[in-house]
Amino acid sequence: MSKSFVLRAGERGHDVIYSDGSASSYVAGHPGSHISRESSFNFHQYQDGRPGFGTVRVFGDEVFNGAGCGYNMHPHHNFIICAFVLEGELTHINTAGRGMVDQLRQGDYYVFSAGSGGKHCELSISPENMNAIYLWLMPGQLYLPPSYHRAHFDIRTRRNRIVQLVGDADSALPVAQDLRVSRLVTDRAGRFTYTPRTPEHGVYVFVAEGGATVNGAVLARRDSMGITGAGALALDVPDSSDIFFVETAMLDDARIRAWEKAHGADLLD
Amino acid sequence: METPLTRWLCLGCGFSYDEALGLPEHGLPPGTRWADVPDDWVCPDCGTPKGQFEMVEMGYSEGGADLARIA
């Protein structure tokens, strides 16, 4: 049986973290620099909505405001962290492997598996603000060897079809999890079908730009929707749209189940 | 029957707490149950409060448990 929820853009957890005051060791930049973050799912104490979806624990729509703004060097374990740069430029300093300094621009994305331990620093050093989608995933195992992969989604040559960015498809970045991330950028209206690996896999659809009607649900810019048990999704998409699909195994998670029970939602049951 | 030992993941940074291993350097000997970790304890890596850890049923990758012991 198909189950779903719709999360409107304005219903997401919202927070603004300034580079001065109590968060100054965490957030980089001159006084006045700030990170604004819209969280679809858990961002620990900053968000009290749905705590996750399948293996996804964070889905953050973040803007680094002001030159030099970002996150100072900080540690991670275990989580698989992905970033998809929508606007601006992201300088990413990462200790995985021999370590690297990466610069990501529109269309670039990375998959950083923190595994047994890694540190990273993320900065917007150009004058423009940086907007990226951040995805945090539960790994398949604890303490995997840390890894970092990056790629580019060429918006000019890959329009009007659903392209897998992360997962098991040709040229997709690998991930140690039962998960796929795909993206659809349109410059003309059309009907598209997204078919998950099995009907039991959940699909989280996020409209970065434009809009979409997904199995009858009308989504506007930055609205999103989670669906399980639906099989193929039918999408009607207007021109100039940019849509992300996160397909994930649905874990039976006590924390998510408790939240759903408390909020009268029953995606898992 | 004794309750199986559990593993917990910090939702702020991914640091894992394993009851079997404890955190001896932070005063929690191996075998310390999550329930016996003080309520005001925070993640040693990122300061996230205890309540923002999630129990996980996950195995270690090869050699991972040895690395976790010295994390």
Side-chain angles (χ1 to χ4, degrees):
Chain A
M1 196 178 79
S2 169
K3 289 175 176 169
S4 64
F5 65 86
V6 170
L7 183 66
R8 298 294 170 195
E11 295 170 345
R12 298 175 293 171
H14 170 73
D15 56 285
V16 178
I17 315 165
Y18 285 90
S19 62
D20 46 5
S22 61
S24 59
S25 67
Y26 178 49
V27 174
H30 293 295
S33 291
H34 58 281
I35 294 171
S36 50
R37 181 159 66 194
E38 315 299 323
S39 301
S40 300
F41 304 122
N42 176 73
F43 222 115
H44 51 117
Q45 66 263 48
Y46 300 112
Q47 201 260 21
D48 58 4
R50 178 177 288 277
F53 181 70
T55 63
V56 179
R57 286 297 169 278
V58 165
F59 189 100
D61 171 4
E62 303 201 16
V63 178
F64 295 179
N65 297 274
C69 185
Y71 294 106
N72 287 317
M73 190 64 84
H74 61 278
H76 283 289
H77 285 81
N78 298 311
F79 271 125
I80 301 165
I81 297 169
C82 311
F84 305 87
V85 175
L86 301 177
E87 288 173 16
E89 183 178 282
L90 175 65
T91 297
H92 187 204
I93 306 167
N94 193 296
T95 63
R98 288 173 52 85
M100 72 159 352
V101 179
D102 198 1
Q103 288 197 302
L104 301 105
R105 301 181 181 84
Q106 188 184 62
D108 291 335
Y109 61 102
Y110 73 71
V111 178
F112 165 41
S113 177
S116 61
K119 292 183 175 151
H120 72 159
C121 169
E122 301 186 87
L123 299 170
S124 173
I125 59 173
S126 70
E128 293 83 26
N129 291 345
M130 194 288 299
N131 182 203
I133 300 294
Y134 279 95
L135 191 59
W136 292 24
L137 310 166
M138 284 290 193
Q141 283 182 307
L142 296 169
Y143 277 68
L144 289 160
S147 67
Y148 183 78
H149 294 92
R150 59 103 74 208
H152 177 68
F153 171 79
D154 189 340
I155 290 166
R156 294 165 300 169
T157 60
R158 301 170 93 180
R159 287 185 202 275
N160 303 310
R161 59 194 172 98
I162 297 172
V163 177
Q164 195 184 118
L165 306 181
V166 179
D168 53 349
D170 290 346
S171 304
L173 294 187
V175 63
Q177 186 50 275
D178 184 352
L179 175 117
R180 293 167 170 168
V181 181
S182 302
R183 188 172 178 183
L184 168 65
V185 173
T186 65
D187 60 6
R188 53 181 156 80
R191 166 159 273 222
F192 298 87
T193 302
Y194 184 90
T195 308
R197 184 182 323 225
T198 73
E200 286 71 43
H201 282 76
V203 184
Y204 179 66
V205 182
F206 178 84
V207 177
E209 296 295 338
T213 301
V214 184
N215 284 10
V218 179
L219 305 179
R221 183 177 184 273
R222 310 278 157 136
D223 287 352
S224 59
M225 176 178 194
I227 310 170
T228 59
L233 310 184
L235 293 96
D236 285 305
V237 182
D239 59 19
S240 304
S241 290
D242 185 357
I243 297 160
F244 285 81
F245 302 84
V246 182
E247 175 190 331
T248 171
M250 295 305 290
L251 308 178
D252 184 0
D253 184 279
R255 209 180 158 84
I256 298 174
R257 193 176 281 277
W259 185 90
E260 290 195 336
K261 196 172 175 192
H263 292 80
D266 67 340
L267 205 65
L268 288 171
D269 287 320
Chain B
M1 199 176 82
E2 203 178 347
T3 317
L5 294 163
T6 56
R7 295 170 182 167
W8 295 77
L9 197 88
C10 173
L11 294 173
C13 73
F15 183 89
S16 50
Y17 178 80
D18 186 330
E19 289 183 338
L21 304 180
L23 284 171
E25 288 181 24
H26 297 275
L28 301 169
T32 303
R33 294 291 189 168
W34 185 245
D36 297 325
V37 172
D39 288 339
D40 60 356
W41 182 86
V42 299
C43 174
D45 268 15
C46 77
T48 289
K50 182 187 171 186
Q52 292 291 327
F53 277 62
E54 174 173 337
M55 193 176 83
V56 293
E57 293 181 32
M58 246 182 252
Y60 286 99
S61 69
E62 192 180 353
D66 293 330
L67 291 172
R69 201 165 276 120
I70 55 168

